[in-house]
């Protein structure tokens, strides 16, 4: 073959099969094609099988994580529902009742570090609520906010407030 060194592998293969008849060459070509088709088909089948197995394993293992997340969310939702029912069932909640009610939740919860009660207080109820809290032993209690320097100061007058009454 022109341009191909005489000792190259291509030359050797060409010389080996150059003496074959047309039928012999067809047998070699068909054998190569069949080999390629079988190899490709086997590869595709094995790839699909591996992906299917991976999908099954992933779904099985992820169900545990999904279940754990759902249980955690359900725990916190049940806690909120319990606090809401406690509030609705009580005319007035004392500091001690709030502490007793929330203690178990805080003990069992890894994700909640405090529970606070911040009731909605209209401006016309502000003075009354501040007076009630002062009667409970917090003589300096007043609605507060942070100023530009980050210091707590008396809250400005506004239509509504969410004072932190209980913090456990």
């Amino acid at each position: 073959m022109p341009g191909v060194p005489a000792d190259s592998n291509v030359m050797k293969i060409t010389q080996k099969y150059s003496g074959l008849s047309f039928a012999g060459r067809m047998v070699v070509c068909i054998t190569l094609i069949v080999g390629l088709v079988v190899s490709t088909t086997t590869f595709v089948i094995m790839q699909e099988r591996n992906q299917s197995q991976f999908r099954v394993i992933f779904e099985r293992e992820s169900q545990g994580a999904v279940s754990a997340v759902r249980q955690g969310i359900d725990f916190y939702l049940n806690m909120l529902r319990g606090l809401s029912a406690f509030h609705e069932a009580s005319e007035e909640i004392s500091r001690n009742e709030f502490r007793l009610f929330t203690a178990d939740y805080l003990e069992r919860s890894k994700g909640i570090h405090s529970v606070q009660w911040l009731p909605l207080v209209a401006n016309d109820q502000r003075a009354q609520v501040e007076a009630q809290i002062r009667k409970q032993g917090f003589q300096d209690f007043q609605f507060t906010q942070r100023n530009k320097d980050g210091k707590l100061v008396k809250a400005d007058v506004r239509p509504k407030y969410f004072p932190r009454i209980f913090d456990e």
Side-chain angles (χ1 to χ4, degrees), residues 10 20 29 58 62 72 92 105 115 143 147 155:
V10 174
L20 289 178
C29 286
F58 176 79
S62 66
E92 189 173 321
Y105 288 124
V115 179
F143 289 9
N147 67 11

Side-chain angles (χ1 to χ4, degrees), residues 125-144:
Q125 298 171 323
R126 176 180 175 169
Q128 176 188 352
V129 171
E130 287 177 328
Q132 283 177 331
I133 302 300
R134 286 187 198 114
K135 284 180 186 177
Q136 294 174 10
F138 300 91
Q139 291 83 13
D140 298 329
F141 181 82
Q142 64 180 353
F143 289 9
T144 58

